[in-house]
């Protein structure tokens, strides 16, 4: 094992050299395990039938670009947020708008539904993430009950509740992620390591897991231990900003979507990228991605207004969804996997099935 | 038109420092349009087309462009090629010669290529003064085909009101431009006029069309020189009143790497080197078997019974899921792993029921208590930690669980300063215990098998 280089007199240069040596060694070690490509092993998997996905609902109501959305655990409600400062809670099944929360700042970049279904979180250019309890009384002014929880020093790019309504995890343009206690607003843990804006995060799906993955403008995807704040694993394969990261349903792997027009798939046990999803004809950045329930399909939204559906194992494109009239900012599969929701700069949301 | 001034990026190569995300796409599109125009290298033929009494110089048909895209970018479906081509047009790299709406059609509609001078990669942010000069200039030209469209006339009227005080200046600039234009050769003028119009179609789009110059606010602030003087299309000097680019949140200056940073990196790399990793062949098999196992539950891949609510508008599928009677298919999932069984509330209930029947439910109840404990608000952590200790771990606890001495010590240490993760070790240990012991017995139990095989209970009526 290489020396730790903690002696006095170690120059920045010699430390950098040591780091480079270790990086090369790590690459060599990892490459020894790269005995086959995922798509080669997947040749024996039965081909997918033709996918016939269509738009089943169009949710109109936002006045400007829809930037984010999240499903409720009840599989039919959702929350969405927009550039115009509005956050809307919908019953997507009936197209009914159940709540509208006007926020004082524009560009609400992130929103999330609480696991109980009784609250939502949102944030963006205000550098905060606030929690708003949802009331059954339609006339109640929800904005008045808004409570600031997270405070960053730059825009909030992503937020999610952990397994309860009591904690939220946020990512920010200030280069950090943070875990907060909702009731007190106290910072429970902060996560430092990215060297540029963090644009996305996703919690590991395990019942027993305590990790999450984040991606950002430093082109890195980092896996974190929520307990210690430590960066456990790091992946640097993309050639531009990572706009979205999402775990594969088993929690052993995750995908990323980037401005370099590719999506990539990484396995945590092999500690490496195991697939790249790209095509000559796809030249616009991928802004968002999510897996179908089994992990066989990866839905990715792009800045060319389309959603490409990838066969995760075989590495080929299974389908392309046209419909949105401007950039797709977010795609999310519903909790029971029955539908895909997409949010767009064309101010609408679409449900596909 | 100030096209003569080459120092304003006439060749279309922007400052290499500006590698904003938009630039990546622009470069790719520029590569494409350069290749399309290179007839010798398999590009399309750009011709002069005769039309009534005049000639239309330097055009190509939409169909030709679609064909080229399909062949050279390996596109199988023409719809995809049309979509990509329309985006290339919407960003201002190609345009129809007789329409303000920037889309691509797969027919004989004629298109022209934009001059590199006007390429978006030159970071144009034209001011309204430039636009006013342009519209004003258009009204001075007598050709019928250059008449303003309705929305342009409205825009002009608005600008006349807004710039009322400096309208004389604008008018003079427009006259100057008309003079410059008149000096050009007829065919060249046709081309330049159309390119200039296409430029404005991008920066002042037809109402209802997408404005492709809109930026993602998260990416804007990284512009290296946000307060640079924006260049004018018509060489109008900046009068100091131009607005800075709309979105400049204070950008963090990139920190220089310190010794500490590199030391942290070295520590991290050493940890990675020590990590035991699996071969790709092994993880590939694991990913494949997980996915294949769950594909029958994946509505996008397998049909669900009775129907997908979003497609049939019938919510029966959801009602069944919520009912007290889990389906055989759902019960089968509990057998995949202890994780899956505990994820499903019904699975959790049945497992608990089984354990209670064996009088050994304390392990699961402990595990569930710790799950709940981690989800409590901060101020409840301390008291709840004590409660769990009393119930499960203390001497003579009512639901005493069997922890190995090591975990017991660790946990008891943790409780001196209780936190949400104080019971993590203990919980992991208990989970492993359940997995290897009681979970396996649960799967063999009547309680589980009855549900799995949908065996009807024989009810004794006495």
């Amino acid at each position: 094992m290489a020396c730790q280089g903690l002696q006095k007199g170690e120059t920045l240069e010699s430390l950098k050299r040591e780091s480079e040596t270790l990086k090369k060694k790590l690459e060599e070690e990892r490459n020894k395990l790269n005995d086959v490509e995922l798509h080669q092993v997947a040749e024996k998997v039965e081909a997918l039938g033709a996918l016939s996905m269509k738009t089943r609902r169009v949710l109109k109501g936002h006045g400007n670009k829809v930037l984010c959305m999240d499903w409720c655990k009840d599989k039919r409600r959702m929350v969405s947020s927009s550039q115009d400062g509005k956050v809307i809670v919908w019953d997507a099944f009936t197209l009914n708008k159940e709540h509208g929360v006007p926020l004082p700042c524009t560009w609400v970049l992130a929103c999330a539904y609480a696991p109980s279904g009784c609250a939502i979180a949102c944030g963006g250019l205000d550098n905060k993430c606030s929690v708003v309890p949802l009331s059954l009384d339609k006339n109640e002014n929800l904005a008045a009950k808004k409570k600031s929880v997270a405070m960053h020093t730059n825009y909030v790019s992503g937020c999610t509740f952990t397994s309860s309504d009591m904690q939220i995890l946020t990512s920010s343009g200030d280069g950090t992620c943070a875990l907060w206690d909702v009731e007190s607003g106290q910072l429970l843990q902060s996560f430092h390591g990215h060297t540029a804006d963090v644009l996305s995060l996703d919690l590991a799906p395990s019942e027993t897991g305590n990790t999450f993955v984040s991606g950002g403008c430093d082109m890195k995807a980092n896996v974190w231990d929520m307990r210690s704040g430590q960066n456990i694993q790091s992946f640097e394969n993309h050639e531009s900003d990572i706009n979205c990261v999402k775990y594969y349903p088993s929690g052993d792997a995750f995908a990323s979507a980037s401005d370099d027009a590719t999506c990539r798939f990484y396995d945590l046990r092999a500690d490496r990228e195991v697939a790249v999803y790209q095509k000559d004809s796809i030249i616009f950045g991928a802004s968002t991605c999510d897996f179908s329930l089994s992990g066989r399909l990866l839905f990715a939204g792009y800045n060319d207004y389309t959603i490409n559906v990838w066969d995760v194992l075989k590495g080929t494109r299974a389908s392309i969804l046209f419909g949105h009239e401007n950039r797709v900012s977010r795609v999310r599969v519903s909790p029971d996997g029955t539908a895909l929701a997409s949010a767009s700069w064309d101010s609408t949301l679409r449900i596909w099935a | 038109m100030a096209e003569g001034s080459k120092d304003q990026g006439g060749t279309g190569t922007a400052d290499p420092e500006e590698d904003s995300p938009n630039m990546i796409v622009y470069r790719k599109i520029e590569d494409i349009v350069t290749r399309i125009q290179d007839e010798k290298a398999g590009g399309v033929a750009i011709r002069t087309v005769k039309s009534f009494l005049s000639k239309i110089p330097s055009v190509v048909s939409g169909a030709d462009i679609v064909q080229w895209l399909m062949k050279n970018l390996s596109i199988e479906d023409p719809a995809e090629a049309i979509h990509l081509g329309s985006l290339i047009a919407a960003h201002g790299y190609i345009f129809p010669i007789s329409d303000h709406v920037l889309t691509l059609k797969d027919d004989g509609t004629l298109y022209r290529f934009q001059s590199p001078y006007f390429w978006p990669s030159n970071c144009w942010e034209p001011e309204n003064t430039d636009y006013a000069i342009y519209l004003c200039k258009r009204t001075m030209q007598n050709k019928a085909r250059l008449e303003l469209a309705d929305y342009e006339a409205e825009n002009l009227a608005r600008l006349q009101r807004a710039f009322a005080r400096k309208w004389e200046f604008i008018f003079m600039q427009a006259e100057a431009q008309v003079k410059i234009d008149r000096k050009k050769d007829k065919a060249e003028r046709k081309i330049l006029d159309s390119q200039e119009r296409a430029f404005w179609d991008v920066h002042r789009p037809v109402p209802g069309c997408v404005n492709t110059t809109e930026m993602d606010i998260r990416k804007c602030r990284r512009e290296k020189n946000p307060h640079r003087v924006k260049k004018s299309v018509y060489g109008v000097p900046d009068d100091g009143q131009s607005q800075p680019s709309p979105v400049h949140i204070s950008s963090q200056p990139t920190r220089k790497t310190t010794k500490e940073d590199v030391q942290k990196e070295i520590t991290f790399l050493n940890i990675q080197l020590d990590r035991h990793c699996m071969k790709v062949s092994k993880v590939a098999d694991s990913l494949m078997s997980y996915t294949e196992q769950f594909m029958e539950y994946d509505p996008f891949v397998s049909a669900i019974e009775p129907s997908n609510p979003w497609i049939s508008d019938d919510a029966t599928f959801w009602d069944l899921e919520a009912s007290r009677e889990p389906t055989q298919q759902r019960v089968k999932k509990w057998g995949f792993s202890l994780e899956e069984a505990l994820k499903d509330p019904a699975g959790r209930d049945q497992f608990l029921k089984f354990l209670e029947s064996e009088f050994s439910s304390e392990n699961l109840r402990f595990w569930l208590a710790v799950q709940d404990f981690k989800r409590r608000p901060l101020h409840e952590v301390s008291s709840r930690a004590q409660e769990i200790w009393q119930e499960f771990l203390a001497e003579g606890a009512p639901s005493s669980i069997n922890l190995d001495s090591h975990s017991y010590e660790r946990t008891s240490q943790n409780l001196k300063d209780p936190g949400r993760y104080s019971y993590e070790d203990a919980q992991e240990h208990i989970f492993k215990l359940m997995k290897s012991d009681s979970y396996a017995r649960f799967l063999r139990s009547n309680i589980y098998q009855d549900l799995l095989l949908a065996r009807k209970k024989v009810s004794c009526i006495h």
Side-chain angles (χ1 to χ4, degrees):
Chain A
M1 188 154 121
C3 75
Q4 294 287 335
L6 292 169
Q7 302 129 339
K8 263 195 200 169
E10 279 284 351
T11 62
L12 183 61
E13 280 316 305
S14 64
L15 285 175
K16 277 188 178 173
R17 275 197 302 272
E18 191 183 337
S19 172
E20 281 308 306
T21 313
L22 286 175
K23 276 190 194 147
K24 282 202 180 78
K25 190 163 172 219
L26 185 61
E27 212 183 304
E28 270 169 39
E29 287 300 307
R30 293 289 184 262
N31 281 338
K32 286 181 192 162
L33 301 170
N34 193 23
D35 53 347
V36 75
E37 295 284 323
L38 172 61
H39 66 84
Q40 288 171 300
V41 179
E43 269 162 25
K44 56 187 183 222
V45 174
E46 206 183 306
L48 285 168
L51 288 177
S52 60
M53 286 174 67
K54 295 195 183 73
T55 301
R56 305 290 173 176
R57 303 279 192 283
V58 180
L59 286 81
K60 297 186 190 179
H62 278 295
N64 210 322
K65 307 176 178 67
V66 187
L67 305 171
C68 190
M69 59 78 47
D70 189 27
W71 287 94
C72 175
K73 281 208 158 76
D74 75 358
K75 311 152 197 175
R76 50 190 284 175
R77 280 177 178 73
M78 58 171 60
V79 60
S80 61
S81 64
S82 165
Q83 181 191 355
D84 68 0
K86 267 290 241 327
V87 171
I88 299 180
V89 176
W90 320 69
D91 175 347
F93 195 61
T94 59
L95 295 180
N96 191 24
K97 295 186 204 33
E98 298 193 334
H99 303 277
V101 188
L103 298 173
C105 79
T106 57
W107 290 88
V108 187
L109 298 165
C111 63
Y113 224 118
S116 69
C118 299
I120 53 142
C122 52
L125 280 199
D126 56 355
N127 298 359
K128 298 192 281 202
C129 185
S130 310
V131 174
V132 182
L134 297 176
S135 155
L136 289 170
D137 177 359
K138 295 221 91 184
N139 294 320
E140 190 159 6
N141 178 11
L142 292 181
K145 300 200 126 186
K146 181 170 70 94
K147 180 190 152 85
S148 288
V149 173
M151 305 281 198
H152 278 279
T153 54
N154 217 306
Y155 64 85
V156 168
S157 55
C159 67
T160 180
F161 285 86
T162 62
S163 48
S164 83
D165 288 17
M166 294 296 127
Q167 286 119 32
I168 55 171
L169 191 58
T170 54
S171 61
S172 167
D174 66 14
T176 71
C177 296
L179 180 68
W180 311 82
D181 178 69
V182 172
E183 226 176 45
S184 62
Q186 196 172 319
L187 172 67
L188 298 171
Q189 183 65 255
S190 66
F191 305 88
H192 297 263
H194 278 288
T195 51
D197 307 21
V198 186
L199 296 178
S200 171
L201 56 75
D202 188 38
L203 268 172
S206 164
E207 289 296 292
T208 52
N210 295 303
T211 58
F212 71 94
V213 63
S214 65
C217 297
D218 57 0
M219 308 187 276
K220 289 204 188 124
N222 290 334
V223 181
W224 307 87
D225 180 337
M226 276 168 69
R227 295 170 291 177
S228 61
Q230 289 302 308
N231 176 8
I232 316 174
Q233 282 173 275
S234 187
F235 302 86
E236 200 174 358
N237 299 83
H238 275 295
E239 295 165 14
S240 184
D241 298 2
I242 294 180
N243 295 311
C244 185
V245 287
K246 198 72 178 59
Y247 271 96
Y248 173 81
S250 77
D252 294 317
F254 70 94
S256 60
S258 163
D259 276 335
D260 68 8
T262 70
C263 289
R264 291 168 199 253
F265 189 43
Y266 315 79
D267 188 290
L268 296 171
R269 301 160 294 186
D271 192 32
R272 67 179 300 121
E273 170 195 283
V274 293
V276 183
Y277 308 109
Q278 62 188 342
K279 260 182 164 290
D280 285 344
S281 52
I282 301 178
I283 60 174
F284 285 80
S287 58
T288 175
C289 61
D290 197 4
F291 286 95
S292 71
L293 195 141
S294 64
R296 182 64 192 268
L297 302 172
L298 179 70
F299 300 100
Y302 292 74
N303 291 340
D304 66 4
Y305 321 169
T306 68
I307 296 168
N308 286 293
V309 186
W310 299 94
D311 181 326
V312 171
L313 301 174
K314 292 186 183 280
T316 53
R317 185 177 63 186
S319 187
I320 178 169
L321 305 177
F322 294 103
H324 278 298
E325 294 168 6
N326 206 325
R327 299 191 193 192
V328 179
S329 52
R330 179 92 156 174
V331 294
R332 274 294 175 271
V333 172
S334 68
D336 62 356
T338 50
L340 175 75
S342 60
S344 166
W345 279 21
D346 68 10
S347 78
T348 70
L349 294 112
R350 281 177 182 243
I351 310 286
W352 311 77
Chain B
M1 213 156 64
E3 195 177 330
S5 40
K6 289 292 173 195
D7 55 34
Q8 292 192 342
T11 52
T13 47
D15 181 350
E17 277 218 310
E18 305 211 42
D19 62 336
S20 77
N22 277 359
M23 208 54 79
I24 301 176
V25 181
Y26 293 153
R27 293 292 174 235
K28 290 183 190 170
I29 298 177
E30 283 159 19
D31 177 64
I32 290 173
V33 296
T34 305
R35 281 160 62 199
I36 302 185
Q37 290 175 82
D38 190 351
E39 231 182 298
K40 293 197 186 90
V44 296
I46 302 172
R47 279 183 294 272
T48 298
V49 167
K50 286 210 179 85
S51 154
F52 298 126
L53 301 166
S54 64
K55 292 192 213 150
I56 307 175
S58 189
V59 286
V60 70
S61 75
D64 282 348
I65 296 178
V66 172
Q67 280 305 305
W68 189 94
L69 289 172
M70 285 179 69
K71 181 164 170 216
N72 290 275
L73 295 180
S74 320
I75 299 176
E76 283 160 15
D77 180 6
E80 222 190 305
I82 293 169
H83 183 85
L84 176 60
S86 294
L87 276 163
I88 293 175
H91 282 272
Y93 285 91
I94 59 177
F95 57 91
I97 58 168
S98 29
D99 198 346
H100 279 287
V101 176
L102 299 168
T103 55
L104 182 68
K105 292 200 185 111
D106 187 13
D107 56 20
T109 310
L110 298 173
Y111 291 83
R112 199 167 275 146
F113 291 91
Q114 181 56 283
S115 155
Y117 175 73
F118 280 131
W119 279 356
S121 49
N122 291 331
C123 300
W124 291 105
E125 279 175 78
E127 295 288 344
N128 278 329
T129 34
D130 275 353
Y131 189 44
I133 292 169
Y134 168 67
L135 290 176
C136 196
K137 169 171 89 144
R138 286 267 301 276
T139 61
M140 294 172 183
Q141 289 154 332
N142 292 325
K143 309 268 156 69
R145 63 176 163 80
L146 295 175
E147 246 173 39
L148 294 183
D150 286 345
Y151 77 95
E152 287 176 314
E154 278 170 36
N155 287 343
L156 180 57
R158 239 190 332 107
L159 289 167
Q160 273 169 331
R161 286 194 296 274
F163 290 133
R165 262 184 273 154
K166 59 183 208 178
W167 198 256
E168 206 181 307
F169 170 75
I170 289 177
F171 193 85
M172 271 168 43
Q173 293 289 322
E175 277 185 326
Q177 290 298 320
V178 169
K179 249 198 195 136
I180 295 173
D181 290 349
R182 279 213 185 104
K183 291 197 182 123
K184 300 198 175 107
D185 143 282
K186 201 171 166 187
E188 202 195 340
R189 262 199 74 185
K190 271 189 190 168
I191 296 173
L192 293 172
D193 280 352
S194 68
Q195 288 172 331
E196 186 189 18
R197 191 196 67 193
F199 171 82
W200 287 110
D201 287 341
V202 169
H203 292 276
R204 299 290 187 275
V206 177
C209 287
V210 173
N211 183 341
T212 57
T213 64
E214 280 189 312
M215 297 264 276
D216 183 338
I217 204 169
R218 303 168 303 172
K219 322 259 175 166
C220 286
R221 70 198 196 109
R222 298 202 325 265
E223 259 177 76
K224 298 276 188 260
N225 187 8
H227 297 294
R228 69 172 187 280
V229 170
K230 284 185 279 184
K231 54 191 179 233
S232 156
V233 184
Y234 304 113
V236 174
D238 180 29
D239 61 1
Q241 284 188 353
S242 64
Q243 302 296 311
S245 295
V247 277
H248 286 104
I249 317 164
S250 55
S251 168
Q252 252 131 242
T254 28
R255 254 176 67 251
K256 276 218 168 93
T257 330
T258 62
K259 266 203 214 175
E260 239 179 41
D261 292 335
V262 188
Q263 276 163 356
K264 275 200 192 137
E265 220 175 63
I266 290 172
T267 311
F268 179 80
L269 288 165
N270 278 316
I271 294 174
Q272 298 308 311
L273 276 166
D274 282 344
R275 173 196 299 278
H276 170 73
C277 291
M278 287 169 63
K279 281 195 194 154
V280 176
S281 52
K282 238 186 146 201
V283 304
D285 281 337
S286 163
L287 293 167
M288 274 164 50
S289 43
Y290 180 91
T291 286
E292 287 187 301
Q293 197 178 44
F294 283 91
M295 270 173 70
E296 74 175 273
Y297 300 91
D298 187 340
F300 284 113
V301 177
S302 312
I304 57 172
E305 302 297 324
S307 65
N308 185 325
W310 299 99
I311 301 176
S312 63
D313 283 336
D314 172 6
T316 309
F317 176 73
W318 286 331
D319 297 333
L320 289 174
E321 286 286 306
S323 78
R324 306 246 82 207
E325 312 267 325
T327 60
Q328 279 176 282
Q329 203 190 27
R330 186 169 155 193
V331 173
K332 186 166 115 179
K333 237 202 270 185
W334 305 345
F336 292 168
S337 66
L338 177 54
E339 273 257 358
E340 281 300 317
L342 293 176
K343 218 200 272 188
D344 187 341
R348 224 183 295 150
D349 288 343
Q350 292 300 323
F351 188 30
L352 190 61
K353 189 168 146 186
F354 163 71
L355 291 171
E356 276 166 358
S357 75
E358 289 198 332
F359 303 101
S360 62
S361 65
E362 63 282 349
N363 282 347
L364 181 57
R365 282 188 292 113
F366 170 72
W367 188 88
L368 292 170
V370 176
Q371 284 296 87
D372 170 78
F373 167 64
K374 288 192 283 191
R375 294 166 187 174
R376 293 295 181 99
L378 197 56
H379 75 268
E380 286 181 24
V381 163
S382 206
S383 55
R384 192 71 194 115
Q386 289 307 322
E387 282 168 24
I388 291 179
W389 180 266
Q390 290 306 318
E391 175 73 21
F392 296 99
L393 288 157
E395 281 253 354
S399 310
S400 182
I401 58 170
N402 199 356
L403 266 192
D404 64 294
S405 55
H406 182 69
S407 301
Y408 192 89
E409 276 311 306
R410 283 275 287 273
T411 307
S412 129
Q413 276 300 323
N414 288 344
L415 286 187
K416 294 200 170 130
D417 180 17
R420 273 164 40 255
Y421 295 112
S422 294
Y423 286 107
E424 213 55 12
D425 281 341
Q427 200 195 24
E428 262 174 50
H429 179 86
I430 292 295
F431 187 85
K432 284 198 185 109
L433 212 60
M434 287 194 294
K435 193 162 142 179
S436 60
D437 180 33
S438 40
Y439 173 61
R441 284 185 288 113
F442 167 61
L443 294 182
R444 293 194 295 266
S445 74
N446 283 335
I447 287 179
Y448 179 72
Q449 289 294 326
D450 286 348
L451 287 170
L452 183 65
L453 303 171
R455 289 197 283 241
K456 300 272 188 233
K457 288 249 157 68
V458 177
S459 50
C460 302
I461 312 161
H462 283 304

